[in-house]
Amino acid sequence: QVQLVESGGGLVQPGGSLRLSCAASGFTLDDYAIGWFRQAPGKAREGISCISSGRVTYYVGSVKGRFTISKDNGKSTVYLQMSSLKPEDTAVYYCARPRGSSCAAGWELPSRYASWGQGTQVTVSS
């Protein structure tokens, strides 16, 4: 069955960097887009980035220029490199698989995604 497992979260100081990983199994990563979301306490889940099967990438404005999404089909893993981290980036980060191969219009909407990982905590604090 489809399984997504996030890792790489932790505590980092403002201005620091982290790389999150999303290990995919139960399907061929080549055939699907993958999105990254985050959810801070008391807030709605927010779509922050998406990579299509053809490696076209999308970012929400608040992370553009600071975060980079990439994937290694051979390792069946999607990465989210996060730099210049801010306290407001503190959240649980999730990867998710939509129903298709592209990051279609509305890719940032959680309702577009059928499968989710369990999440990894990122805390940005001094």
Side-chain angles (χ1 to χ4, degrees):
Q1 80 254 25
V2 174
Q3 192 170 17
L4 299 167
V5 180
E6 302 93 338
S7 61
L11 174 63
V12 63
Q13 292 188 341
S17 299
L18 277 177
R19 189 178 78 159
L20 305 184
S21 299
C22 171
S25 61
F27 66 100
T28 302
L29 186 60
D30 295 27
D31 296 338
Y32 288 89
I34 294 289
W36 279 100
F37 288 74
R38 65 186 180 187
Q39 188 166 19
K43 294 191 174 182
R45 193 166 293 191
E46 172 192 26
I48 56 173
S49 186
C50 185
I51 186 166
S52 73
S53 60
R55 301 177 189 270
V56 180
T57 59
Y58 300 80
Y59 300 93
V60 70
S62 60
V63 307
K64 196 173 292 185
R66 300 190 298 124
F67 291 10
T68 302
I69 191 171
S70 62
K71 65 174 181 171
D72 185 333
N73 286 333
K75 294 183 177 179
S76 200
T77 300
V78 176
Y79 304 99
L80 186 69
Q81 178 68 48
M82 306 186 297
S83 304
S84 302
L85 284 162
K86 307 174 182 180
E88 52 264 42
D89 294 317
T90 295
V92 178
Y93 284 69
Y94 301 88
C95 61
R97 195 194 82 174
R99 294 176 175 83
S101 63
S102 67
C103 302
W107 63 264
E108 69 277 15
L109 299 174
S111 59
R112 294 295 182 103
Y113 294 77
S115 302
W116 293 82
Q118 83 290 347
T120 186
Q121 176 71 47
V122 172
T123 302
V124 184
S125 175
S126 55

